[in-house]
Amino acid sequence: MNVAPTDWTARWARYTPHSIAVSDGERSLSYAELHRGGLCLAHFLLEKGLRKGDRIAVLAENDPAYILLFVAAQKAGFVLVPVNYRLSGREVAYILEDAEPALVIYQEGWQHVLPATDNGKPHPPRYELQEIKSAATGTDVRSIIPESPAEDDPIFILYTSGTTGFPKGALYTHRMLFWNSENTVLSLDLGPDSRTVNVMPPFHTGGWNVLTTPLLHRGGYTRLLRKFDAGEVLRLLEVEKVTVFMAVPTMVRMLAESSAFATTDLSELKYLIVGGEPLSPALIERWHRRGVPIRQGFGMTEVGPNLFSLHQDDALTKKGSIGRPNFYVQTRVVRESGTDCAPDESGELWLRGPMTTPGYWRNAEATERAFSDGWFRTGDTVRRDAEDYFYVVGRLKEMYISGGENVYPAEVERRLEEHPAVGETAVVGVPDPCWGEVGHAYIVLAPGASVTAIDLQAYCRQGLAGFKVPKHFTFLEALPRNATGKVDRKALKARK
């Protein structure tokens, strides 16, 4: 049997047909069932008139049918466009107009997000996700697909979060999928015995490409969960004998604060992967006391996303670091002049490697701006120490200038989160009549803690230059977050 290089499940259906690939607690699919269902679904969609390269927009939470769509796309070359169902109708309408899908699939409960009209154009056909499930259980199991995708064909168009302006659609190819998996497997030692719970949203690259697609590539198991609930996640970590789990810092904190945290059996959990933002040392130590090492990392939609990894043994000795580059990731730290920075000198992070996007969907201008001599310009400011450990100093767009000096919020936030009373913090630049801009720190206290703004200012002065010390402090119950779980700095800057 000749199998396209992009068709992973066809091989696992041959090697380990009875191993369970994915489950949502109600429905489980073995690799043989995933392969068969993907073939049925691919032929169903082809008979509806879809062809290689056609986009399929999807508004759905984590569900085995979504994985079946992915398998069908690997076989027949369809391009999935995961749509953020938390967006407004206007924002969803923009994505649909930009992507021009041949088909829209929605989960029950999310159809209200779809636009009533398409600016006078005919609607593309719309299917409820249950119809896709039914199509995947058909009897058409012909193995021949008219045209298989090439490795440089896209499998996803992943729209960026769009915290400023409208989002851009990053092309994510089959080649990127493979090399991201290789970087992940080499870094995390994944294989057929690896098991995870995935609670990350499927409209985010982390939901697909941190663990789900690498585990599908390596014959592992994924338990899908639609929504994050600390108690339920802890229960599943135990009963599913999870070996590796990915979460954002807010989830990590909520899990540690759950009443079940102290009694949950976490003996199978090799480590916790944390991405999105740095984790406070106090929270790292709390998990380490439970016998669960923390692996911190860094990635982005357009490259990877599994780019850097900080080994659990370095979690405290190299606190604040995103670690070292993964195996197939090339890096540069670049000055504004275009020359490379020396160790411990801050500059823009540039990336290159086979896991890099070819560009943005129908946006040649944005693609041209993103690249320089084949290097992807991330917009992140980092420094690299003498041992090749990287530290995020801040986003170029988040930087503010106070009294003529550049201030990167991430550096100030790291200092604040070293204070035992601080659970979480975010710092933004706000206008100031004297200095141009100054820092405004938003603080979420650790449980049971108490501290004043004067105390925190004094603490910052002990470890930061005066111009970096925030002038304003506001205490909040929780930081506002966007749909991907990251702090919504735009919302903070808009506060009065």
Side-chain angles (χ1 to χ4, degrees), residues 25-26 67 106 111 155 178 250 272 280 311 343 393 427 456 466 487:
E26 296 180 1
I67 305 296
Y106 63 90
Q111 58 267 42
I155 187 168
F178 173 84
T250 301
L272 197 67
S280 70
H311 194 274
V393 177
V427 176
L456 290 177
V487 173

Side-chain angles (χ1 to χ4, degrees), residues 249-250 253 277 413 417 422-428 440-445 474-482 485-489 491-492 495:
T250 301
R253 177 178 54 81
E277 296 164 343
E413 290 160 3
E417 289 185 350
V422 176
E424 289 185 294
T425 184
V427 176
V428 298
H440 190 145
Y442 291 88
I443 307 291
V444 177
L445 293 175
T474 298
F475 294 89
L476 300 176
E477 291 294 320
L479 297 175
R481 296 185 178 273
N482 61 24
K486 294 185 178 181
V487 173
D488 190 340
R489 296 176 186 273
L492 290 176
R495 288 175 62 98

Side-chain angles (χ1 to χ4, degrees), residues 294-327:
I294 297 291
R295 291 286 296 262
Q296 296 187 84
F298 175 88
M300 59 194 312
T301 300
E302 294 92 339
V303 193
N306 296 314
L307 299 171
F308 291 80
S309 183
L310 181 68
H311 194 274
Q312 59 264 31
D313 293 346
D314 300 322
L316 293 174
T317 58
K318 291 289 186 178
K319 63 184 179 183
S321 172
I322 58 175
R324 289 167 162 162
N326 285 337
F327 202 87

Side-chain angles (χ1 to χ4, degrees), residues 61-324:
E61 297 170 307
N62 286 327
D63 190 282
Y66 216 152
I67 305 296
L68 285 163
L69 277 168
F70 168 78
V71 172
Q74 279 199 313
K75 296 177 184 297
F78 309 131
V79 183
L80 300 185
V81 184
V83 180
N84 183 349
Y85 40 76
R86 298 171 185 165
L87 296 177
S88 68
R90 174 174 168 269
E91 292 166 313
V92 170
Y94 172 84
I95 289 174
L96 295 180
E97 183 175 351
D98 188 61
E100 290 189 341
L103 188 69
V104 175
I105 296 170
Y106 63 90
Q107 197 168 42
E108 184 179 1
W110 295 113
Q111 58 267 42
H112 68 280
V113 182
L114 292 170
T117 64
D118 284 355
N119 291 334
K121 302 175 185 176
H123 277 306
R126 295 179 178 180
Y127 287 87
E128 204 272 321
L129 194 66
Q130 187 60 45
E131 298 175 79
I132 297 303
K133 292 181 183 179
S134 299
T137 59
T139 58
D140 187 353
V141 289
R142 292 171 289 164
S143 61
I144 297 175
I145 300 292
E147 189 177 6
S148 298
E151 60 181 10
D152 287 324
D153 290 333
I155 187 168
F156 293 116
I157 299 176
L158 297 170
Y159 279 83
T160 56
S161 57
T163 53
T164 56
F166 282 112
K168 304 186 294 290
L171 294 167
Y172 199 98
T173 67
H174 292 265
R175 180 196 295 270
M176 292 174 67
L177 201 69
F178 173 84
W179 287 106
N180 176 70
S181 174
E182 288 299 289
N183 276 324
T184 309
V185 168
L186 287 168
S187 173
L188 301 178
D189 191 25
L190 302 180
D193 294 330
S194 299
R195 301 172 64 84
T196 195
V197 169
N198 179 20
V199 72
M200 302 298 291
F203 53 76
H204 183 258
T205 188
W208 281 105
N209 298 312
V210 170
L211 286 174
T212 299
T213 55
L215 286 184
L216 287 171
H217 185 208
R218 289 304 172 113
Y221 167 76
T222 298
R223 169 64 158 87
L224 298 173
L225 194 61
R226 289 190 179 183
K227 290 181 170 61
F228 176 80
D229 175 87
E232 178 64 4
V233 169
L234 286 168
R235 185 187 74 82
L236 289 174
L237 292 178
E238 177 176 321
V239 301
E240 294 281 9
K241 300 186 184 302
V242 168
T243 62
V244 58
F245 176 66
M246 188 267 177
V248 296
T250 301
M251 295 178 185
V252 178
R253 177 178 54 81
M254 293 174 71
L255 289 168
E257 292 173 357
S258 169
S259 59
F261 182 66
T263 57
T264 301
D265 182 359
L266 301 173
S267 58
E268 298 293 331
L269 191 57
K270 294 180 179 178
Y271 34 73
L272 197 67
I273 303 167
V274 183
E277 296 164 343
L279 204 60
S280 70
L283 197 50
I284 293 171
E285 289 172 341
R286 193 167 182 180
W287 278 89
H288 283 193
R289 288 195 296 270
R290 282 280 4 245
V292 180
I294 297 291
R295 291 286 296 262
Q296 296 187 84
F298 175 88
M300 59 194 312
T301 300
E302 294 92 339
V303 193
N306 296 314
L307 299 171
F308 291 80
S309 183
L310 181 68
H311 194 274
Q312 59 264 31
D313 293 346
D314 300 322
L316 293 174
T317 58
K318 291 289 186 178
K319 63 184 179 183
S321 172
I322 58 175
R324 289 167 162 162

